Amino acid sequence: MSFVRAKAGITCSLAALLLTCWVVSPCRAVDIPPLTHGLTPIVEPRPAPTLRLTDMDGRVHDLADHKGKLVVVNFWATWCPPCRREMPSLERLRQRLESQGVVILAVDVGEDIDTIFAFTGQLEPSPNFPILLDRDSGAMQGWKVKGLPSTFVVAPDGALAFRAVGGREFDHPQLIDEFLKLSTKAEK
Amino acid sequence: MNFRLLAMLVAIVVLLSGHATSADQSQRIDPETGAVSWETHAQGVTLLLSQIPPDPVRAFYLNRGFPSEAAELYATACVFMTVLRNDAAPGELSSRLADWSVHNAGRLQSPQSVEAWMARWQALGLSEAARIAFRWAQFPPEQEYSLGEWNQGMLTTGLPPDSHFDLIARWSVAGKTYEGRLENVVCAR
């Protein structure tokens, strides 16, 4: 009896997982829109909005503390298909450019730590940059985000330099070049 | 057989075939799920609608704290995963969901608005976490897309299962309006 119950439980869990996967990535076997690799320059650079949130370990991160560095601010959620797909490339970007002063802050909207951890734990490479918790979506509204994922590149002087709406392959050579150019420009 | 009769027969066959689509429109079926997707490329923009049947929609929102009646309401509202991407438009495009239209059985309507859904969830007393997940899982009501930019999100028409409709997506570039059309799209059952 207990075996039957356990088997039914496993079947239900698998079904729920499959159904959730369908919603999260309904067109995976059809035509998944490709991750792109361009950044949109912000024509009239303005100071980045404030960003002060706690990470999954309870540590406070303030964008203002990173002045002098190039910061990539990525707004995302685990149920957002392109966010899931681009996340490993953010970690590869960190691995490539952290030593050159590039900082990555990923801002999750409205989810709890267990949900985020269950997702990031499956990733290869697993994110090793701070994941900040925007529980009430206040930060997203402050940054005027209209859809997920949205990413902003903050220049070392604290001005918004680029934005990217939709999923990106962040370690694409074209993007690496853009980040390096902006970093180098600031040093001159 | 006279020419007029022949033309009528051809028109009837096209209408009944379920594949009366424009030249740039393609349709695919996911071999694993059976979900159908419709895609078109117009004026340098890709528009894609992919069916999401009620069961996975229900599961998605129940897992995010929706009470069953709220999940049911949304799951049966003809849900599509929607993608709009600026591949090669003549400039940054601006899109407002309120400008899109759904043509069904001679009637014209806009897709259901995110604001209207949010008002419903507020009235039903859904938790803030559930409302936040809902809001950001939807296709953006307004957005600007530069070259290479795109969004993917859920959109509802509110039509019954199996309904057939045409969707016209509209956007503007430098004040000029463009549109992309998907014909004979079918709500999942």
Side-chain angles (χ1 to χ4, degrees):
Chain A
M1 185 68 181
S2 60
F3 171 73
V4 172
R5 211 175 280 160
K7 195 177 164 193
I10 290 167
T11 308
C12 285
S13 303
L14 282 174
L17 182 67
L18 280 173
L19 290 174
T20 305
C21 288
W22 193 345
V23 175
V24 164
S25 187
C27 39
R28 67 195 182 287
V30 183
D31 245 356
I32 296 172
L35 295 175
T36 50
H37 47 263
L39 293 172
T40 302
I42 292 175
V43 182
E44 291 172 11
R46 55 189 184 278
T50 55
L51 184 71
R52 191 171 192 276
L53 294 168
T54 54
D55 67 16
M56 299 210 296
D57 298 320
R59 280 192 296 261
V60 176
H61 293 258
D62 193 333
L63 177 64
D65 294 339
H66 297 293
K67 200 148 187 188
K69 293 184 173 178
L70 187 148
V71 185
V72 178
V73 180
N74 173 253
F75 290 91
W76 74 292
T78 64
W79 39 258
C80 153
C83 306
R84 296 167 69 92
R85 288 166 53 210
E86 72 180 2
M87 189 58 67
S89 75
L90 268 177
E91 172 56 17
R92 291 193 298 270
L93 174 70
R94 184 198 68 75
Q95 291 171 3
R96 283 281 303 273
L97 297 185
E98 189 177 56
S99 61
Q100 296 179 60
V102 173
V103 173
I104 293 166
L105 299 174
V107 181
D108 174 274
V109 58
E111 297 185 286
D112 59 50
I113 292 169
D114 290 345
T115 304
I116 299 168
F117 194 70
F119 166 65
T120 55
Q122 311 163 15
L123 295 179
E124 185 53 53
S126 188
N128 206 10
F129 46 76
I131 294 180
L132 314 185
L133 306 174
D134 184 19
R135 293 189 188 277
D136 63 358
S137 74
M140 284 189 49
Q141 288 166 41
W143 283 64
K144 300 194 187 325
V145 172
K146 295 179 181 173
L148 294 179
S150 284
T151 304
F152 297 90
V153 180
V154 182
D157 64 0
L160 286 175
F162 294 101
R163 72 155 205 245
V165 173
R168 293 293 186 280
E169 198 71 51
F170 282 103
D171 61 335
H172 188 279
Q174 189 178 324
L175 284 182
I176 299 267
D177 276 356
E178 292 278 15
F179 294 135
L180 286 174
K181 259 190 257 168
L182 191 58
S183 262
T184 315
K185 200 167 122 189
E187 281 168 13
K188 283 177 184 171
Chain B
M1 188 182 293
N2 66 30
F3 177 76
R4 191 176 292 173
L5 183 59
L6 182 65
M8 277 176 64
L9 281 172
V10 167
I12 289 167
V13 167
V14 167
L15 283 172
L16 293 178
S17 70
H19 297 284
T21 58
S22 64
D24 289 336
Q25 181 172 329
S26 59
Q27 179 178 324
R28 292 172 192 80
I29 299 175
D30 186 319
E32 288 177 43
T33 65
V36 186
S37 294
W38 292 263
E39 182 172 347
T40 190
H41 303 274
Q43 320 288 341
V45 172
T46 294
L47 172 67
L48 169 78
L49 287 188
S50 186
Q51 286 178 337
I52 317 179
D55 277 351
V57 176
R58 211 175 276 126
F60 181 83
Y61 286 105
L62 287 174
N63 283 340
R64 277 152 191 87
F66 270 50
S68 54
E69 68 271 25
E72 190 62 26
L73 203 60
Y74 188 81
T76 53
C78 181
V79 187
F80 286 88
M81 183 57 77
T82 304
V83 172
L84 189 76
R85 190 177 62 230
N86 181 347
D87 295 317
E92 179 173 279
L93 69 90
S94 177
S95 160
R96 280 185 353 119
L97 211 49
D99 296 332
W100 295 22
S101 54
V102 172
H103 299 235
N104 163 258
R107 290 187 305 272
L108 187 66
Q109 62 185 68
S110 292
Q112 291 185 300
S113 78
V114 176
E115 292 79 6
W117 282 115
M118 292 300 284
R120 275 184 177 179
W121 306 148
Q122 183 84 39
L124 286 172
L126 263 67
S127 68
E128 185 184 34
R131 282 185 281 122
I132 287 173
F134 176 86
R135 165 62 188 87
W136 296 104
Q138 307 309 300
F139 188 79
E142 292 184 9
Q143 183 64 285
E144 288 76 44
Y145 302 90
S146 285
L147 188 66
E149 294 193 321
W150 59 292
N151 273 137
Q152 175 173 346
M154 294 186 205
L155 172 146
T156 57
T157 67
L159 297 171
D162 270 339
S163 297
H164 289 232
F165 65 92
D166 295 346
L167 176 89
I168 299 180
R170 295 188 179 85
W171 58 88
S172 62
V173 178
K176 188 175 174 189
T177 303
Y178 298 84
E179 63 180 42
R181 187 184 188 104
L182 286 172
E183 297 177 342
N184 210 18
V185 180
V186 185
C187 300
R189 66 173 85 170

